[in-house]
Amino acid sequence: CSGGGLLVYSDSSPSKRTLTADGQEIKKKKVVVLGSGWSGYSFLSHFNNPNYDVQVVSPRNFFLFTPLLPSVTNGTVEARSIVEPIRGLMRKKGFEYTEAECVKIDPSNKKIHCKSKDSTSLKGTTEFDMDYDILVVAVGAKPNTFNTPGVEEHAHFLKEADDALKIRRSVINCFERASLPDLTEEERKKILHFVVVGGGPTGVEFSAELHDFLVEDVAKIYPKVQEFTRITLLEAGDHILNMFDKRITAFAEEKVQRDGIDLKTKSMVVGVTADEISTKERGSGEVVSEPYGMVVWSTGIGSRPVIKDFMHQIGQGQRRVLATDEWLRVEGCDSVYALGDTATINQRRVMKGETGTLNKKEFKGVVKDICQRYPQVELYLKKKKLRNIANLLKSANGDNTELSIETFKQALSEVDTQMKNLPATAQVASQQGKYLAKCFNKMEKCEKKPEGPLRFRGEGRHRFQPFRYRHFGSFAPLGGEQTAAELPGDWVSIGHSSQWLWYSVYASKLVSWRTRSLVVSDWVRRFIFGRDSSS
Ligand code: FAD
Ligand code: MG
Ligand code: MG
Ligand code: MG
Ligand code: MG
């Protein structure tokens, strides 16, 4: 036992051993995977190499299909329908799972320190160490409060299944409280004032879902108080959904206003108390406080404490987000990989150290390479935002003139400043998980035949192609059975047809037939009977 009276044991069992056909003992390398979210689950489901011993550590024993989480808040979809227990996958693959949270990574001793909730021990927690040969960090991120006072205590987040259920109970609870007799009109208005902070996809979708719920269901269930409800959507920037195409932003802003949602842009929240939320108007600097019944905070993500501590240990303390190279290896330490929202890829400079000129073919090759790394560049090229590159491309198309690398570098610095990181999305996380699993699956082949086709041209020391992101498009559900879709090739579609596209894309992306059928039956049930409004 260690100080503090906590039970401490150490899982320092050596890596598992198996025998080969001729009786030789081989030591299996132990891969420890932290997290069972989009990137971790994707890694585990594609991992297929019997020469590794895989151990998963995650505080939750299920995968959560986050895109449908906002639908859980109003009962369109049941929480149970969008979680997939991971035990099934563990059994099928022969992996081991421990329900615990990693609280410290010790890269110099190749150990992690974990805590698990254990109701049988006195303190309610059990602590243990675990060795690894290879560590895959896929712990995601936590909601970012920007240290705004009162947010942690009074606001709801929308990140986990429990959050969605809490929000749902809280919404219904507000209506029940507002329906009590002997309240003044002011009091009812306060209780039924719902504030959503953050005009990103999650905040916009949540406000839209809440609006649908109020209009389609609550009006029938709580007819007396319905007139007192109000939804306010606060956004610090100039526009909501600012990462989407301008057409989508404009449509969404118009729809939000048409729905009667009170949209306030350029409003930064400076504090939340038990019954008031204070915002500062950008520009005038005026601070306004308003009473509220419920606040949902959705302003982006930040690093988890365990990752911040790890970054300090490996000399990344100055960075905001953990950095990996393009092979997803954490920079500044050995045998640790990081995927998904936890990390960003530190892109190599495309033109580093090169001088001279490029001919048409080389130029096109480089542009293609950039477009693969930064899928958004293609859109920018079309929109002529990167005018220099677009012009260079045009002149290169025309004849065989050689381009000076200096001119090109200059144009590229525009790319560097405008688009550094891949977005923190499920799409990126799951592709990274799949990519890394495939690298592990081919590891022996590559070690035996380092000159094989997998060798990356021009980078002798790497055996694998670097990670390449493929962008399949983004969806922004806007409520009222409408969804905006931005698909590759500058294709924008908004309306009811994209709602069905969205349904089918997500229904087909759900991990198992079990969850798929549960979600579809939830949708059908909702269409026929309306939403369930019990809390
Ligand atoms: P996560 O999926 O968050 O997984 C992290 C895992 O690590 C979890 O299992 C967690 O329990 C575990 N963990 C946490 N701490 C520890 C620890 N200390 N030790 C061990 N394990 C730990 N993206 C899209 O592309 N499309 C969408 O429509 C979309 N909608 C979204 C809607 C909502 C409401 C939210 C919150 C997100 C949405 N996203 C969407 C974003 C997407 O969910 C994330 O980008 C994605 O989950 C990132 O995957 P991840 O594996 O990095 O992290
Ligand atoms: Mg994960
Ligand atoms: Mg997840
Ligand atoms: Mg999560
Ligand atoms: Mg990332």
Side-chain angles (χ1 to χ4, degrees):
C1 268
S2 77
L6 296 176
L7 179 65
V8 174
Y9 65 88
S10 184
D11 170 23
S12 46
S13 57
S15 310
K16 278 189 188 161
R17 283 155 205 280
T18 40
L19 298 181
T20 58
D22 48 346
Q24 270 187 320
E25 197 184 47
I26 45 167
K27 185 171 165 280
K28 279 194 181 187
K29 277 198 174 164
K30 183 167 167 186
V31 179
V32 174
V33 180
L34 303 180
S36 54
W38 275 99
S39 57
Y41 197 86
S42 162
F43 176 78
L44 295 167
S45 26
H46 291 98
F47 191 99
N48 238 331
N49 190 334
N51 298 321
Y52 290 91
D53 167 25
V54 177
Q55 175 89 46
V56 183
V57 175
S58 174
R60 64 171 205 223
N61 61 3
F62 55 82
F63 163 80
L64 173 68
F65 190 81
T66 50
L68 287 174
L69 202 52
S71 309
V72 174
T73 60
N74 63 11
T76 302
V77 171
E78 293 295 325
R80 240 175 321 165
S81 308
I82 62 164
V83 307
E84 180 66 19
I86 65 162
R87 286 284 180 188
L89 182 70
M90 298 292 103
R91 188 164 22 94
K92 199 171 96 190
K93 298 265 183 175
F95 300 160
E96 273 175 59
Y97 168 69
T98 310
E99 189 175 280
E101 192 181 333
C102 168
V103 289
K104 189 166 180 76
I105 299 172
D106 177 1
S108 43
N109 296 310
K110 289 197 160 188
K111 257 188 209 314
I112 55 167
H113 188 68
C114 305
K115 257 189 200 161
S116 82
K117 290 209 170 64
D118 175 2
S119 51
T120 58
S121 93
L122 281 175
K123 282 268 176 162
T125 52
T126 303
E127 299 192 15
F128 58 93
D129 286 336
M130 191 185 276
D131 292 332
Y132 65 81
D133 294 309
I134 294 158
L135 184 66
V136 176
V137 183
V139 296
K142 70 178 185 61
N144 199 348
T145 65
F146 302 99
N147 297 321
T148 312
V151 174
E152 209 77 62
E153 298 88 320
H154 304 295
H156 286 271
F157 299 111
L158 182 51
K159 193 86 175 64
E160 297 294 331
D162 276 348
D163 298 335
L165 293 174
K166 269 189 215 148
I167 288 177
R168 182 173 163 183
R169 278 196 296 270
S170 172
V171 171
I172 309 262
N173 191 19
C174 285
F175 277 96
E176 294 296 353
R177 268 165 51 218
S179 306
L180 292 174
D182 299 338
L183 290 182
T184 64
E185 198 166 289
E186 281 313 301
E187 284 169 318
R188 291 192 219 274
K189 274 188 181 158
K190 171 191 177 291
I191 296 170
L192 294 180
H193 182 204
F194 300 95
V195 182
V196 182
V197 185
T202 305
V204 171
E205 185 181 359
F206 173 70
S207 349
E209 291 276 359
L210 185 61
H211 167 265
D212 288 359
F213 182 48
L214 300 186
V215 168
E216 292 164 22
D217 303 77
V218 171
K220 290 175 210 142
I221 309 165
Y222 304 92
K224 281 191 207 135
V225 295
Q226 210 251 337
E227 57 177 310
F228 303 117
T229 59
R230 179 157 69 103
I231 304 173
T232 301
L233 175 58
L234 300 172
E235 163 60 44
D238 293 340
H239 293 285
I240 57 170
L241 298 180
N242 60 10
M243 65 292 286
F244 282 87
D245 190 278
K246 285 221 159 45
R247 284 165 284 178
I248 292 180
T249 301
F251 182 90
E253 286 180 350
E254 203 216 289
K255 177 170 186 304
V256 159
Q257 269 147 4
R258 211 169 349 116
D259 282 351
I261 295 173
D262 200 354
L263 171 63
K264 288 188 183 138
T265 54
K266 300 183 188 138
S267 306
M268 212 173 84
V269 175
V270 289
V272 184
T273 65
D275 38 28
E276 281 197 337
I277 180 163
S278 308
T279 52
K280 188 170 164 182
E281 179 94 21
R282 221 183 58 213
S284 72
E286 194 192 348
V287 176
V288 195
S289 296
E290 270 204 277
Y292 71 85
M294 185 178 108
V295 172
V296 174
W297 189 269
S298 166
T299 60
I301 53 172
S303 297
R304 292 187 188 279
V306 58
I307 299 300
K308 279 196 188 137
D309 170 78
F310 176 51
M311 287 165 70
H312 274 286
Q313 291 183 60
I314 58 171
Q316 289 199 24
Q318 301 303 314
R319 291 185 50 94
R320 215 171 44 83
V321 188
L322 181 67
T324 69
D325 64 14
E326 288 173 276
W327 289 263
L328 309 185
R329 298 174 301 192
V330 171
E331 293 193 334
C333 89
D334 251 3
S335 315
V336 183
Y337 297 80
L339 327 168
D341 289 359
T342 315
T344 58
I345 297 174
N346 228 351
Q347 308 277 359
R348 285 165 306 155
R349 284 280 155 96
V350 186
M351 305 301 294
K352 198 169 79 182
E354 291 178 53
T355 50
T357 57
L358 291 171
N359 65 28
K360 180 178 161 185
K361 203 174 150 206
E362 286 162 340
F363 177 78
K364 281 197 166 164
V366 175
V367 171
K368 194 173 153 209
D369 192 58
I370 299 170
C371 287
Q372 274 181 350
R373 276 182 212 186
Y374 313 89
Q376 306 94 316
V377 172
E378 226 173 318
L379 288 176
Y380 277 87
L381 282 178
K382 288 211 181 86
K383 287 182 198 159
K384 299 255 165 66
K385 278 206 178 149
L386 295 169
R387 226 165 253 132
N388 288 340
I389 293 194
N391 288 341
L392 286 175
L393 195 62
K394 225 189 265 164
S395 64
N397 274 340
D399 46 42
N400 280 330
T401 40
E402 302 231 316
L403 296 161
S404 117
I405 286 197
E406 277 314 311
T407 332
F408 190 50
K409 263 187 188 167
Q410 228 172 1
L412 277 182
S413 66
E414 248 180 287
V415 179
D416 269 343
T417 54
Q418 286 194 40
M419 49 212 84
K420 263 250 150 73
N421 299 326
L422 293 173
T425 60
Q427 234 181 104
V428 172
S430 62
Q431 286 181 31
Q432 289 183 335
K434 185 174 174 186
Y435 162 82
L436 192 63
K438 282 190 162 176
C439 291
F440 276 97
N441 294 347
K442 290 174 188 160
M443 202 65 93
E444 284 83 13
K445 224 190 254 167
C446 297
E447 270 164 10
K448 271 191 213 116
K449 271 189 176 175
E451 305 299 326
L454 291 166
R455 195 181 174 102
F456 180 60
R457 276 172 301 131
E459 284 281 334
R461 66 208 164 84
H462 299 296
R463 263 177 250 105
F464 297 102
Q465 293 279 356
F467 172 71
R468 287 277 189 272
Y469 173 57
R470 284 190 64 200
H471 187 61
F472 292 108
S474 326
F475 293 88
L478 303 172
E481 305 304 317
Q482 300 202 45
T483 290
E486 187 173 334
L487 301 170
D490 206 15
W491 200 76
V492 166
S493 147
I494 303 167
H496 298 272
S497 57
S498 16
Q499 177 79 14
W500 284 103
L501 183 64
W502 183 78
Y503 279 180
S504 47
V505 165
Y506 280 127
S508 69
K509 278 200 173 165
L510 283 173
V511 280
S512 72
W513 284 105
R514 190 191 69 90
T515 47
R516 231 169 274 175
S517 65
L518 285 174
V519 167
V520 170
S521 69
D522 285 346
W523 281 337
V524 171
R525 195 202 59 219
R526 214 271 302 178
F527 272 110
I528 302 174
F529 302 110
R531 299 182 183 90
D532 174 9
S533 63
S534 57
S535 61

